[in-house]
Amino acid sequence: MARRFRQRPRLHVAAALLMAGLLTACETAAPVSAPVPPARHERAAVPAAVAPSPASMAMRARLSRVEATLLSRGLMRTDGGGPDTPFNDRQLAENFIRIALYDEYVLRNGAFVAQTTPSRLRRWDQPVRMAVEFGAAVPEAQRATDRASLRAYAAQLSRASGHPIRMADSASANYHVLILNEDERRGYGARLAQLVPGIDPVSVATILDLPASTFCVVFAFSQGQSSTYTRAVAVIRAEHPDRMRLSCIHEEVAQGLGLANDSPAARPSIFNDDEEFALLTRHDELLLKMLYDKRLRPGMTPEQARPIVETMAYELIGGES
């Protein structure tokens, strides 16, 4: 399956940020026929396009091969699931517990290490205001596509979760989506410090030194020991072909809302490393609805949340399978 092509293709981490006094946690947008005006939702565009480096061109070629192979195997589905992917309330509840109440990574010896561990429920209390920021080498046609996708996706996420999520200008945004090529990302340290004041060196290094096997990353931050998010940064490789780029946008942005883990049992779902689905599914929309249900509170443990989660899952789909 997909793991033959990449190891840990997406990164969603959760660890204490000591310097900042913060906490980090680390797919169907409707097509839009006309480009969306860019002015409000990104930094000032660079007047002239910047040619990509050989490293960036090599990354683009590599990712195009990966997408072609995944598609040839029937992966990266965009149908949201159907009769071939049934699930019942018990499965929905278990998937929620695993995805929303466990962490995929731990901080160890100054680096994020893959290790699934029990955690606490985390989410946003304040409205989420997203802005997209492009590297200078990203073509204008790609920018228009990605702006439109993000605007549609923000509306989808808001409907699914019941939480206010909208696009905003960069100055007022608290959730930044960065679409950068290899060279741009490696030189983004100063900008990251502007977007997340006090961001710790480990998080910055993780983004700047992102290995080729990791396709996208998201960090969500909260003050002190709080389980309530106040800022987030998602980084998407600009070299991705269209479907993989949209897939990264869907998964990382949703995981930055509080669904921080993956589970091999979740189906149909983007929160599963098997790459069967590229875009947010009905199952995933239900996870978001549960996450932002007022019966759950930030900071709950898996044991505290389980009876409430099981009740919600039954209310949503009953014995459907």
Side-chain angles (χ1 to χ4, degrees):
M1 299 291 282
R3 292 183 185 180
R4 296 180 186 176
F5 306 103
R6 48 190 170 153
Q7 181 181 12
R8 294 291 170 184
R10 308 166 199 269
L11 179 62
H12 339 285
V13 298
L17 298 185
L18 302 179
M19 180 177 176
L22 304 172
L23 186 82
T24 75
C26 187
E27 280 167 352
T28 302
V32 176
S33 56
V36 178
R40 295 186 56 206
H41 303 315
E42 58 171 298
R43 290 191 296 160
V46 175
V50 176
S53 70
S56 179
M57 291 188 290
M59 177 63 71
R60 184 176 294 275
R62 176 181 184 271
L63 296 176
S64 293
R65 291 193 298 269
V66 171
E67 181 182 270
T69 305
L70 293 173
L71 292 175
S72 73
R73 295 185 173 186
L75 303 176
M76 304 288 286
R77 290 171 56 175
T78 61
D79 58 10
D84 64 321
T85 57
F87 61 95
N88 57 36
D89 60 302
R90 296 182 304 279
Q91 292 168 315
L92 181 64
E94 289 301 325
N95 291 343
F96 180 89
I97 294 292
R98 203 68 184 172
I99 292 168
L101 288 152
Y102 280 75
D103 285 336
E104 187 177 8
Y105 287 82
V106 297
L107 185 63
R108 183 181 299 153
N109 299 325
F112 292 110
V113 179
Q115 180 179 315
T116 300
T117 55
S119 184
R120 293 179 180 271
L121 187 135
R122 295 183 295 258
R123 69 186 184 196
W124 295 72
D125 277 355
Q126 63 179 295
V128 176
R129 303 180 302 277
M130 289 199 305
V132 59
E133 196 165 298
F134 297 96
V138 179
E140 183 53 41
Q142 181 175 324
R143 297 184 188 208
T145 296
D146 292 347
R147 290 187 203 105
S149 296
L150 273 163
R151 179 176 280 114
Y153 191 44
Q156 180 185 2
L157 291 170
S158 189
R159 288 192 303 270
S161 65
H163 188 75
I165 302 170
R166 63 177 179 83
M167 299 302 292
D169 60 85
S170 184
S172 64
N174 51 21
Y175 199 136
H176 295 268
V177 180
L178 312 179
I179 300 179
L180 310 169
N181 73 12
E182 273 289 279
D183 311 291
E184 293 158 346
R185 192 196 70 255
R186 292 180 183 278
Y188 234 65
R191 181 59 178 156
L192 289 169
Q194 292 176 342
L195 298 177
V196 185
I199 187 171
D200 67 300
V202 175
S203 298
V204 173
T206 301
I207 292 172
L208 301 188
D209 301 329
L210 204 64
S213 58
T214 299
F215 289 178
C216 34
V217 60
V218 64
F219 288 80
F221 303 89
S222 56
Q223 297 292 336
Q225 298 304 309
S226 172
S227 295
T228 301
Y229 292 142
T230 58
R231 288 181 182 270
V233 175
V235 181
I236 312 297
R237 292 186 184 274
E239 294 93 348
H240 280 300
D242 288 346
R243 191 177 298 190
M244 283 182 63
R245 195 169 69 256
L246 183 58
S247 172
C248 264
I249 288 171
H250 269 235
E251 183 172 356
E252 300 309 316
V253 171
Q255 298 214 270
L257 296 178
L259 298 174
N261 195 18
D262 287 321
S263 170
R267 186 173 187 257
S269 180
I270 60 173
F271 307 117
N272 187 322
D273 281 338
D274 64 8
E275 305 300 331
E276 181 181 11
F277 289 89
L279 307 179
L280 200 77
T281 67
R282 172 175 173 262
H283 169 278
D284 300 333
E285 289 186 332
L286 293 176
L287 295 182
L288 282 166
K289 184 177 181 67
M290 295 163 70
L291 177 63
Y292 283 87
D293 191 300
K294 295 187 183 303
R295 286 173 286 184
L296 293 177
R297 300 184 309 279
M300 278 185 163
T301 65
E303 294 75 20
Q304 291 170 329
R306 177 175 290 279
I308 301 171
V309 168
E310 291 175 348
T311 297
M312 290 191 299
Y314 185 81
E315 291 173 351
L316 287 171
I317 61 173
E320 181 181 335
S321 63

